[in-house]
Amino acid sequence: MMRRTLENRNAQTKQLQTAVSNVEKHFGELCQIFAAYVRKTARLRDKADLLVNEINAYAATETPHLKLGLMNFADEFAKLQDYRQAEVERLEAKVVEPLKAYGTIVKMKRDDLKATFTARNREAKQLTQLERTRQRNPSDRHVISQAETELQRAAMDASRTSRHLEETINNFERQKMKDIKVFRNSLYAPDYSSRLDIVRANSKSPLQRSLSAKCVSGTGQVSTCRLRKDQQADDDEDEELDVTEEENFLK
C-alpha cells in the first residue's frame, strides 16, 4: 500500500516536471522571438526616421506648393513612427522583460523538483530497507523498529517537500496564467487601433499615392535591392543576438 502511494506521488511529480519543462522551452522561444521582433521594429522605426528627414530635406528644395505637400506627408509618416516607438517600448517592458524573468523562476522550480525527488528516493530506499529487514530478521524487533523510525522520518520529509512543491507549483501556474493574460493585453495600448486608423486615413493623400507610383516605376528595383541587403544584415545580427537571448534565459 505504501509503495503504491509512493508510485502515485512520483507520477504526479513527473507531471509537474513536464509542466515546468514546457514553460522553460516555450517561454524561452517566445522571449527570443519577441525580442527579435522588437529589435526589427525598432530598426524599421529608425529607417522611417531617416526617410522623414530625407523627405523634409527634399521639400526644402521644391516650390512652395510641392514643399507643403511633402512636409505634410513627412509629418503624417512621422506620426506613424510615434506609434511604432510606443509598440517597441510596450513590448519591451510588458512582454520581453517578464518573459526573461521566467528563466530564474524556472530554475527555482527545478530546484524544488530536485529536492522533492531526493526526498522521495530517500523514502523509497528506507521502505526497501525495512522490507528486507523484516524478511531477513523477522524476530529482531529492535532492528525492525529502528528501520521503521528511519522510514517515518523519510516519509515526513518527503511529505513536507511534497506539500511545498504543490504549493509553489500552484502559485507558479496562477502566475503563469496571469502573465499570459498581461502579455496578450499589453500588445495594444488603449484605443491604439482607432487612433492608428485615423493616422492612416489622414496619410492617404494624393502625394503619397504619387510617391508610391514613382517607387514602383523606375527606382523601385534599386530600393528593393537595398532593402533586401539591409534585411540580410539585420537577420545576421539577429542570429547572434538570439543566441545571447537564449543564453540569458537559461542562466
Side-chain angles (χ1 to χ4, degrees), residues 26-238:
H26 294 292
F27 274 37
E29 290 292 331
L30 286 171
C31 180
Q32 183 177 340
I33 295 171
F34 264 118
Y37 174 83
V38 169
R39 290 193 299 271
K40 284 183 177 292
T41 302
R43 283 198 289 269
L44 182 60
R45 172 208 60 205
D46 293 340
K47 295 292 185 182
D49 289 340
L50 293 175
L51 180 59
V52 169
N53 291 337
E54 181 59 30
I55 293 173
N56 283 323
Y58 170 53
T61 67
E62 280 292 347
T63 60
H65 182 71
L66 183 56
K67 176 180 179 180
L68 179 62
L70 286 166
M71 292 183 68
N72 286 338
F73 168 70
D75 182 62
E76 296 298 336
F77 194 70
K79 290 179 182 178
L80 288 176
Q81 310 322 310
D82 293 337
Y83 287 106
R84 186 164 282 125
Q85 174 64 20
E87 180 187 19
V88 168
E89 294 175 353
R90 194 172 183 84
L91 286 175
E92 181 68 27
K94 301 293 186 179
V95 178
V96 176
E97 289 302 322
L99 281 173
K100 284 182 181 178
Y102 269 85
T104 302
I105 294 173
V106 166
K107 184 178 182 301
M108 294 173 60
K109 303 313 169 188
R110 285 203 174 279
D111 290 341
D112 291 337
L113 283 165
K114 182 178 179 181
T116 300
F117 277 122
T118 299
R120 296 271 177 81
N121 290 337
R122 188 182 303 114
E123 182 183 13
K125 182 179 179 180
Q126 292 298 331
L127 177 60
T128 300
Q129 184 174 345
L130 174 60
E131 291 172 344
R132 289 177 178 174
T133 300
R134 285 173 174 170
Q135 292 176 355
R136 294 174 180 175
N137 305 295
S139 60
D140 193 340
R141 290 303 308 165
H142 176 70
V143 176
I144 293 176
S145 177
Q146 188 176 12
E148 289 175 342
T149 301
E150 293 297 327
L151 175 60
Q152 185 177 11
R153 290 176 181 173
M156 291 177 62
D157 184 50
S159 178
R160 178 182 58 79
T161 57
S162 294
R163 286 195 302 268
H164 173 72
L165 178 64
E166 291 174 4
E167 180 180 352
T168 190
I169 291 296
N170 286 337
N171 292 336
F172 173 72
E173 289 294 329
R174 283 194 293 267
Q175 185 65 39
K176 182 184 69 175
M177 294 299 297
K178 180 181 178 181
D179 287 342
I180 288 175
K181 291 179 181 179
V182 171
F183 297 157
R184 182 188 61 191
N185 295 334
S186 295
L187 293 179
Y188 298 101
D191 299 329
Y192 176 89
S193 298
S194 60
R195 286 185 289 162
L196 186 56
D197 289 340
I198 293 174
V199 174
R200 285 172 175 167
N202 292 335
S203 297
K204 292 178 182 177
S205 62
L207 175 61
Q208 182 181 10
R209 289 192 291 270
S210 65
L211 288 174
S212 299
K214 289 181 180 179
C215 288
V216 173
S217 61
T219 60
Q221 293 180 350
V222 176
S223 300
T224 301
C225 180
R226 289 175 180 171
L227 286 174
R228 285 176 179 172
K229 289 181 179 179
D230 290 343
Q231 183 178 2
Q232 181 63 43
D234 290 345
D235 290 341
D236 292 341
E237 181 182 349
D238 274 343

